[in-house]
Every structure is written in C-alpha cells, then in structure tokens.
C-alpha cells in the first residue's frame, strides 16, 4: 500500500476559523481515508472517500478528492479547541491482498481559543 | 460494541529483554494490524493478520513478530529489545468481509520504553 504525504506539517489557527490540510499520493487508489490522533492516543477514523467520489461531508468535515492530481484535502469548518490533534491521510489500493495502511507524518493542527 | 483493547498500556523494559503486547479486536473483526509510532519515523506499519495468517508485513527486522489466535486476538513480540524500539505500539482491527473497506479501528496503544 502506498503512503500519503500531508501538507502543511503544522497549522495554527484560532477558534472559529477554518482549517485546510492536504494530502498527496503517487499511484491509483480505491479509496482515501483521513484519521485524527489526539496526543499520544490511538487514531480515530474520520472519513473515507472512494476513488469515484469527488467530495464528501461529515458534520464539520469536508473532504475532496482529485484523482487526476492525486490529491485530497480535508477542511474543518468553524474549528474548536477540541480539534487540536494530528491528522493523517491514508490512500489505499488494497483489495484482497490485505489491509495495510501507510501513513505519512501527518499535519499537526493547533486551535487556540 | 467494545472497542479495540490493548494490554498493557505502559511497559518499561531494559535492552536485551523481550516483550509481548496483546490486542483484542472489535467483536466480529477478522483483520488485525500493528503499527509502531515514534517521533522520528512517524507511524509505520508492522504487520497484518487475517484468519491466523500473516497477510502483510512492513519493513521491520525479524525481531518483530506476531500471531493471531482463532478468536482474532493478536499478540506481537519484540525480542532482544533495543533503545530504538521505544515507541507507541498501536493495534487496529478491520471487519474484513467482502463488502467492507479497509477502515481501521485503533486501540489506545501500548507505550513501550526501553532503558
């Protein structure tokens, strides 16, 4: 499975602002997932977008996928201090060969009151 | 449903020792994956087990091994511990039926410190 690369590495915003982070990958995918990790804890699955989808929403989250550019973006609207975490993308081309997600370094988001 | 559980949560060992970490997946989940997370290398895939068989393996030395039992519970073992093995070890489970995607559900992790 391939690795995603998140950009920027770090992002600092104030509560109420929107946060956008990007993910790039190299080869074709079946789906792309975004995960969140609060400091020192396990990852939490946020959203999955399939290769035939261009946009998906979940609450304050909006994910876009551009397969021609091999990139995805995660938008968090009206950020809250509780959104402070690291965010990882995981592009996946897994099928029957098994589930192995390769994560990048992530984007570290800091939301200040 | 209960989430993924990992035991122990914290562990301190010395160089040269070995360690066994345990993971209980979400009930009904058949795939279990293990990851190592360090500040320098980030989150790296170790291996994945499905139906008691290792299906995928990351780029780690043979000191790292694992197994899965018939009830899908999994253990990973690290032998001859090195200082660089200090990390957060995360276990994740997936439903892995023919309709599912590879969405993974993570446990809280085991924090291993090697002195």
């Amino acid at each position: 499975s391939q690795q995603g690369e998140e950009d920027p590495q770090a992002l600092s915003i104030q509560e109420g602002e929107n946060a956008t982070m990007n993910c790039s990958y190299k080869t074709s995918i079946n789906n792309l997932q975004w995960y969140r990790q609060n400091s020192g804890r396990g990852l939490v699955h946020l959203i999955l977008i399939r290769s035939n989808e261009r946009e998906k929403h979940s609450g304050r989250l909006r994910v876009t996928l551009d397969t021609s550019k091999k990139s995805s973006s995660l938008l968090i609207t009206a950020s809250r201090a509780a959104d402070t975490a690291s965010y990882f993308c995981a592009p996946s081309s897994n099928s029957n060969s098994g589930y192995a997600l390769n994560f990048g370094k992530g984007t570290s988001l800091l939301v200040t009151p | 449903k209960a989430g993924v559980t990992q035991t122990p949560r914290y562990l301190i060992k010395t160089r040269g020792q070995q360690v066994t970490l345990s993971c209980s997946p979400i009930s009904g989940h058949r795939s279990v994956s293990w990851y190592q997370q360090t500040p320098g290398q980030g989150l790296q895939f170790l291996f994945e087990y499905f139906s008691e068989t290792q299906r995928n393996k990351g780029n780690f030395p043979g000191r790292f091994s694992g197994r899965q039992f018939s009830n899908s519970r999994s253990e990973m073992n690290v032998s001859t511990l090195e200082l660089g093995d200090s990390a957060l070890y995360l276990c994740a489970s997936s439903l892995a039926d023919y309709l599912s995607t590879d969405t993974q559900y993570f446990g809280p992790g085991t924090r291993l410190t090697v002195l």
Side-chain angles (χ1 to χ4, degrees):
Chain A
S1 188
Q2 63 178 302
Q3 185 175 45
E5 290 186 24
E6 297 88 352
D7 175 72
Q9 289 188 353
L11 183 58
S12 182
I13 60 173
Q14 291 191 312
E15 270 190 326
E17 294 181 336
N18 294 343
T20 300
M21 49 206 87
N22 304 296
C23 170
S24 60
Y25 57 92
K26 290 187 167 53
T27 62
S28 62
I29 59 173
N30 292 334
N31 66 67
L32 186 143
Q33 303 175 52
W34 285 91
Y35 289 81
R36 182 189 75 224
Q37 184 181 34
N38 292 90
S39 180
R41 299 187 181 181
L43 277 71
V44 174
H45 179 258
L46 293 176
I47 196 166
L48 178 149
I49 186 165
R50 299 180 190 274
S51 59
N52 61 354
E53 297 175 312
R54 290 296 167 260
E55 187 171 311
K56 201 159 181 181
H57 297 255
S58 177
R60 294 183 295 112
L61 305 180
R62 172 178 168 251
V63 168
T64 60
L65 179 64
D66 187 335
T67 53
S68 66
K69 295 181 179 177
K70 294 186 171 54
S71 67
S72 174
S73 68
L74 170 67
L75 168 67
I76 305 174
T77 59
S79 296
R80 306 166 182 167
D83 295 326
T84 294
S86 292
Y87 292 81
F88 298 87
C89 71
S92 173
S93 49
N94 291 321
S95 54
N96 295 322
S97 59
Y99 298 165
L101 295 180
N102 286 303
F103 296 92
K105 299 285 188 183
T107 292
S108 179
L109 173 65
L110 174 64
V111 183
T112 55
Chain B
K1 270 186 183 177
V4 177
T5 58
Q6 292 187 244
T7 56
R9 292 292 311 279
Y10 301 91
L11 205 49
I12 299 175
K13 292 285 189 180
T14 57
R15 279 181 299 174
Q17 288 187 310
Q18 74 159 13
V19 66
T20 299
L21 311 181
S22 181
C23 172
S24 292
I26 293 172
S27 177
H29 284 198
R30 300 162 66 192
S31 167
V32 174
S33 299
W34 288 89
Y35 297 83
Q36 181 198 64
Q37 187 175 33
T38 60
Q41 298 299 318
L43 197 58
Q44 294 183 285
F45 169 75
L46 279 157
F47 27 65
E48 183 224 356
Y49 286 88
F50 177 81
S51 292
E52 302 178 63
T53 301
Q54 187 180 86
R55 196 161 63 165
N56 279 297
K57 189 176 190 306
N59 189 25
F60 277 82
R63 300 185 298 107
F64 292 81
S65 63
R67 58 178 175 168
Q68 186 181 35
F69 302 96
S70 58
N71 61 358
S72 292
R73 192 177 70 84
S74 177
E75 289 181 346
M76 68 161 282
N77 184 276
V78 187
S79 62
T80 320
L81 284 166
E82 301 176 359
L83 294 178
D85 297 332
S86 294
L88 180 66
Y89 289 88
L90 293 164
C91 167
S93 72
S94 298
L95 186 58
D97 67 13
Y98 74 101
L99 288 176
S100 68
T101 64
D102 46 4
T103 297
Q104 301 199 3
Y105 298 85
F106 284 80
T110 293
R111 173 74 62 183
L112 172 65
T113 301
V114 182
L115 303 176

